[in-house]
Amino acid sequence: MKDRIANFSAGPAVLPEEVLREAQKELFNYKGLGLSVMEMSHRSKAYQEIIDDAMNRAKRIMNLGDNYDVLFLGGGASLQFLMVPMNLCPEGKVGNYINTGTWSNTAIKEIKKIGKQCHVAATSEDTNFSFIPKEFKLSENPAYLHYTTNNTISGTEFKYIPEVGDLPLIADMSSNFLSKPMDYAKHALIYAGAQKNIGPAGVTMVVIRKDMQEKFNTGLPTMLSYKTHIDKGSMFNTPPCFPIYMVGLVLKWIEDMGGLAAVEKHNIEKAGLIYNVIDNSEFYRSPVNTEDRSLMNIVFRLPSEDLEKKFVAEAAENGMSNLKGHRSVGGCRASTYNALPMTACQQLAEFMVEFEKNNK
Ligand code: PMP
């Protein structure tokens, strides 16, 4: 589409064109009701249908049964760094974490801030998070194991689900949520900020297995307690109504595409175009372990920082935006989330080859 850029933003990120068009169509007058979703009471029948539909689609896509609740909360994935230990790490038990990057690290800092015990079960910090640990060592009395399925900044992704037996497994899936089929049911709790793969910023999806309710700490502030939101169907207070509606449209788009198997196939092809250029070049370099690299956030370096600057600027002039790496690590990063069209990756791959020729 001529009037849309190739948007490689790490988040908030590109949304499916079909979803934007549908939202545009329904924006002014939702299904003939004479008002927009933004103007509707969250207690109305029409809105209840919207949120129920989104919850049901989410469970269907992940192949989860009625033993899971789906919540839509505010506060970003960052609030979950706090809510997880607050609700699920009791006195005398230890929150276990695999540290694979900035966001895992932030989760670890948060549990420590509330004075709970924390154990780092594995880490790749020594190598600047260039790989995914394949083994981990749990503490005595673990409350749960928390891991980050995809590392948005360092560009690595878990290709396996940690095996923890009966111990609750908790995953921050913010940056690769619903990008591929996986055994979602191996998790006791999953959370993901919407703004990368499933919608606009402002809502976080939390998926909780029902048996976790027996483990919830009690006496928590109302808004920080999962129980509050489960009991009220994410409607204890006014939820982020419009973002939830958008998530529903994205979930419908995923189902219409053929579900997660089709989504993954598309993602492998898209990322492959760019990794292929990197692998066949002595100009571009990937700083991460080949087998651990992410399908969602492709990080790469050029021979110098000056060339990286030039690359990002020239790409932008050619309609490819947001290719600068995260400010904490530098380099370049192309985020290739579900909604990014194949044509954007083709365009970038061709541009990379051309840029290398002109700047070698
Ligand atoms: N976890 C991961 C993996 C992320 O990529 C991010 C944001 N980039 C966060 C957590 C924090 O999310 P939020 O901004 O929604 O709080």
Side-chain angles (χ1 to χ4, degrees):
M1 257 232 348
K2 281 216 179 61
D3 51 355
R4 303 261 299 160
I5 52 167
N7 180 4
F8 294 95
S9 168
V14 58
L15 285 164
E17 191 183 320
E18 295 89 332
V19 166
L20 292 175
R21 294 216 179 274
E22 180 73 11
Q24 184 181 42
K25 202 175 82 194
E26 293 183 333
L27 188 70
F28 196 66
N29 185 352
Y30 179 78
K31 298 198 190 303
L33 296 176
L35 77 178
S36 77
V37 174
M38 282 182 275
E39 301 164 296
M40 194 178 271
S41 164
H42 59 294
R43 309 277 176 211
S44 64
K45 182 168 171 286
Y47 194 75
Q48 191 63 52
E49 280 171 13
I50 290 173
I51 195 166
D52 286 347
D53 181 68
M55 286 173 181
N56 290 334
R57 282 186 194 278
K59 285 209 277 191
R60 207 154 58 216
I61 290 170
M62 285 183 274
N63 215 359
L64 295 176
D66 285 338
N67 56 333
Y68 281 85
D69 288 299
V70 173
L71 304 179
F72 294 106
L73 305 180
S78 299
L79 182 61
Q80 298 311 308
F81 298 158
L82 168 68
M83 283 181 76
V84 164
M86 237 185 182
N87 284 267
L88 286 166
C89 189
E91 280 307 311
K93 288 218 171 188
V94 184
N96 277 244
Y97 289 75
I98 299 183
N99 185 7
T100 50
T102 306
W103 298 109
S104 320
N105 228 340
T106 313
I108 290 167
K109 282 188 194 144
E110 206 62 18
I111 177 172
K112 288 183 178 164
K113 270 196 182 148
I114 56 168
K116 306 253 179 182
Q117 289 187 71
C118 168
H119 167 74
V120 177
T123 178
S124 51
E125 194 161 16
D126 284 356
T127 66
N128 237 343
F129 302 116
S130 68
F131 71 99
I132 296 289
K134 306 298 177 300
E135 285 168 10
F136 55 90
K137 199 165 182 305
L138 296 173
S139 67
E140 296 274 303
N141 283 325
Y144 54 76
L145 178 69
H146 176 286
Y147 76 119
T148 312
T149 51
N150 183 76
N151 299 283
T152 327
I153 295 176
S154 44
T156 59
E157 180 170 8
F158 272 82
K159 307 287 163 75
Y160 73 101
I161 298 177
E163 198 48 68
V164 288
D166 288 342
L167 187 71
L169 181 64
I170 298 182
D172 172 0
M173 296 200 184
S174 294
S175 53
N176 68 345
F177 193 42
L178 306 187
S179 65
K180 59 185 176 186
M182 70 153 98
D183 199 350
Y184 290 91
K186 286 231 155 141
H187 299 87
L189 189 151
I190 295 167
Y191 62 91
Q195 68 271 23
K196 293 152 199 311
N197 249 347
I198 58 160
V203 64
T204 302
M205 196 192 288
V206 182
V207 181
I208 312 181
R209 208 172 57 216
K210 283 199 195 305
D211 65 332
M212 286 300 101
Q213 294 191 31
E214 293 153 26
K215 297 183 189 288
F216 287 159
N217 291 327
T218 52
L220 300 177
T222 314
M223 280 295 286
L224 297 178
S225 154
Y226 287 128
K227 186 90 173 66
T228 303
H229 301 291
I230 292 170
D231 288 350
K232 299 288 181 186
S234 296
M235 296 261 204
F236 169 74
N237 67 324
T238 319
C241 297
F242 194 74
I244 295 170
Y245 156 75
M246 290 295 290
V247 168
L249 292 184
V250 174
L251 297 177
K252 178 174 185 302
W253 174 79
I254 289 177
E255 290 198 296
D256 290 348
M257 255 179 96
L260 296 183
V263 168
E264 181 187 40
K265 185 169 174 283
H266 198 62
N267 286 335
I268 290 173
E269 237 175 283
K270 285 187 311 188
L273 290 169
I274 297 162
Y275 281 126
N276 193 33
V277 174
I278 296 171
D279 289 343
N280 288 302
S281 153
E282 284 179 7
F283 185 79
Y284 301 105
R285 179 175 60 81
S286 165
V288 301
N289 218 15
T290 308
E291 61 177 0
D292 300 325
R293 57 198 189 182
S294 166
L295 276 191
M296 298 282 102
N297 307 100
I298 304 175
V299 294
F300 54 98
R301 305 296 314 222
L302 274 69
S304 71
E305 284 185 18
D306 283 346
L307 277 170
E308 285 167 348
K309 258 193 208 141
K310 190 172 177 218
F311 176 87
V312 171
E314 278 186 25
E317 280 165 25
N318 285 282
M320 289 162 279
S321 78
N322 293 305
L323 286 163
K324 195 164 177 281
H326 190 268
R327 60 192 180 282
S328 62
V329 293
C332 297
R333 171 176 57 178
S335 295
T336 52
Y337 296 123
N338 289 355
L340 186 77
M342 184 74 71
T343 48
C345 292
Q346 283 158 347
Q347 195 187 346
L348 177 59
E350 282 164 24
F351 174 77
M352 286 172 77
V353 171
E354 200 56 34
F355 189 87
E356 174 172 354
K357 255 192 236 153
N358 297 337
N359 292 278
K360 240 203 302 221

